[in-house]
Amino acid sequence: MEIRWSGSTPGTYDTGVEKKAIALLSGGLDSALACELTLRRGFQVVGLNLATGFCVGEGRCDTVLALAARLGIPLRMRDVSAEFLEVVRAPKFGYGSGMNPCLDCRILMARTAGAVMEEEGASFVVTGEVLGQRPMSQHRRALDLVAEESGLGERLVRPLSGRLLGPTYPERMGWIRREDWLDIQGRSRKRQLALAREWGLTEFVQPSGGCCLLLTKAYAVRLRDAFRHRGREALTPDDFALLRYGRHFRLSPGVKVIVGRDEGENAVLAGFSPGRWALSFPAVPGPVALVEGDLSPEELELAARLAARYSDARGGDPVTVRAVRDGREQDLTVVPLPPDDPRIASWALGE
Ligand code: SF4
């Protein structure tokens, strides 16, 4: 294959033939830079954004759309949330500091990108991974493992650290030289931020913004609790989703209470009420609360007293709590738990 070089400056040589890469775009800085660099090296790029169902960060999706528009590349979106739930339940390579199964997650993403690569007739996959940036998933052995386990092998390219890693498919094909990639490594983002400035790239979520619910302490605590008391396999997609919202309290191995923190959460919790007790306050402003488990009357009363602690009922006066479950309805008159009741803190999950 003839390669026509017109210089060694980024973006100034011609591969002589259109070569195509799939670039995973998360909305973060590193994947944006890796994509831009691949374009600057003369490759055709299709962006790919994967939805895991665990993303956090306002406007991340909008950022990916704006980035694709800015780079002038087509963007594929794919929902991998069903496969991702199986990874979260039982990761082959374990969890990180929270309940984040980063290695398995990266393998799933790379494998999915490999499938899109086949569909698009592309030759390789690009990610924004940086050698040594994350302790669990981006040390050298982990990067090699992701390439191997995803089935991509040398077709998985990390342009930001490419000089420091082994040869990849585009290099072996003679489309690029190793030194045309970068040699970024470690946790600092200084070089990436400088590059973004130099290239006029502003469409990315700030590195400090966080990206994944599974990294957050509150979600991790709730998920561990749910695995312990409900069982990994018993949790439904709705159960995983519900762990995002409200204040969560484990009253006993079989009883859990979830209390809405504002009107938005109250509305969301109301949607999760089938199969659970839904508590509300007909006479005073108060939260919607859900109670899970087969409860005794005493346990239901205790749950109602806990929910009432977050209502506008004050000063230890009794308040009416309406409890509804699958068509059954009853009103309980309870005294709210005092805010300084030490049991509240001991029941709280990730507050
Ligand atoms: S932080 Fe979350 S989204 Fe990112 S690699 Fe880890 S599990 Fe996947």
Side-chain angles (χ1 to χ4, degrees):
M1 182 172 298
E2 185 194 356
I3 306 293
R4 285 176 285 120
W5 298 88
S6 59
S8 59
T9 315
T12 59
Y13 59 86
D14 180 357
T15 61
V17 60
E18 195 171 63
K19 289 297 166 191
K20 199 171 177 183
I22 303 299
L24 277 166
L25 292 177
S26 66
L29 172 59
D30 293 339
S31 63
L33 289 173
C35 184
E36 168 82 24
L37 183 58
T38 306
L39 286 166
R40 284 172 176 252
R41 293 301 184 258
F43 293 99
Q44 189 187 343
V45 176
V46 174
L48 174 64
N49 180 252
L50 301 180
T52 63
F54 286 82
C55 294
V56 286
E58 293 293 311
R60 184 163 274 267
C61 206
D62 291 346
T63 306
V64 173
L65 299 183
L67 175 68
R70 147 81 172 72
L71 296 174
I73 60 170
L75 178 65
R76 300 270 307 258
M77 316 282 271
R78 187 159 286 190
D79 184 343
V80 292
S81 52
E83 299 96 310
F84 191 66
L85 273 192
E86 297 315 308
V87 163
V88 174
R89 279 185 219 277
K92 183 173 172 186
F93 298 102
Y95 300 102
S97 57
M99 286 296 275
N100 47 308
C102 290
L103 259 173
D104 293 81
C105 172
R106 287 180 187 279
I107 291 164
L108 171 66
M109 290 184 174
R111 192 178 292 142
T112 307
V116 174
M117 177 183 84
E118 301 270 333
E119 291 165 17
E120 289 281 342
S123 305
F124 60 101
V125 167
V126 166
T127 76
E129 289 164 302
V130 169
L131 182 64
Q133 188 178 84
R134 293 183 193 277
M136 180 184 184
S137 60
Q138 295 186 27
H139 54 80
R140 178 61 193 267
R141 224 160 38 82
L143 293 182
D144 290 346
L145 188 78
V146 172
E148 194 185 309
E149 291 271 333
S150 66
L152 281 174
E154 62 178 15
R155 289 179 189 261
L156 183 54
V157 179
R158 286 88 170 202
L160 301 187
S161 297
R163 273 191 226 175
L164 307 168
L165 302 172
T168 53
Y169 186 76
E171 181 186 338
R172 196 162 60 72
M173 294 300 287
W175 300 336
I176 190 136
R177 299 169 301 187
R178 185 91 54 93
E179 58 268 32
D180 292 320
W181 296 134
L182 302 180
D183 58 354
I184 299 176
Q185 63 177 317
R187 300 175 73 92
S188 166
R189 296 289 173 92
K190 273 192 189 151
R191 280 184 69 190
Q192 288 97 311
L193 287 167
L195 266 180
R197 272 195 302 275
E198 185 185 327
W199 292 347
L201 210 54
T202 55
E203 299 82 358
F204 58 87
V205 177
Q206 288 303 322
S208 58
C211 65
C212 177
L213 202 54
L214 294 160
L215 285 168
T216 65
K217 184 174 169 237
Y219 194 88
V221 168
R222 294 169 187 183
L223 185 56
R224 279 193 205 101
D225 170 83
F227 280 170
R228 189 177 319 125
H229 293 100
R230 298 272 310 280
R232 288 168 192 263
E233 296 307 323
L235 292 185
T236 65
D238 270 3
D239 292 325
F240 281 96
L242 181 54
L243 296 176
R244 278 176 182 255
Y245 305 103
R247 300 180 166 92
H248 288 235
F249 303 92
R250 171 67 57 192
L251 269 57
S252 70
V255 179
K256 184 172 149 185
V257 181
I258 305 150
V259 182
R261 286 176 289 206
D262 54 39
E263 279 184 20
E265 285 196 339
N266 287 346
V268 171
L269 294 193
F272 283 101
S273 61
R276 301 174 171 94
W277 282 105
L279 308 183
S280 60
F281 294 82
V284 296
V288 168
L290 298 179
V291 193
E292 295 181 343
D294 293 320
L295 285 76
S296 65
E298 294 74 26
E299 287 172 322
L300 184 58
E301 185 186 328
L302 185 60
R305 293 187 67 203
L306 173 62
R309 175 259 176 269
Y310 297 99
S311 74
D312 280 5
R314 303 264 179 231
D317 292 337
V319 61
T320 301
V321 179
R322 181 153 300 156
V324 178
R325 180 168 188 168
D326 300 332
R328 278 178 290 160
E329 180 178 312
Q330 64 185 94
D331 283 350
L332 300 100
T333 303
V334 301
V335 175
L337 289 180
D340 58 357
D341 186 320
R343 291 177 296 175
I344 296 176
S346 70
W347 292 330
L349 297 171
E351 290 300 315

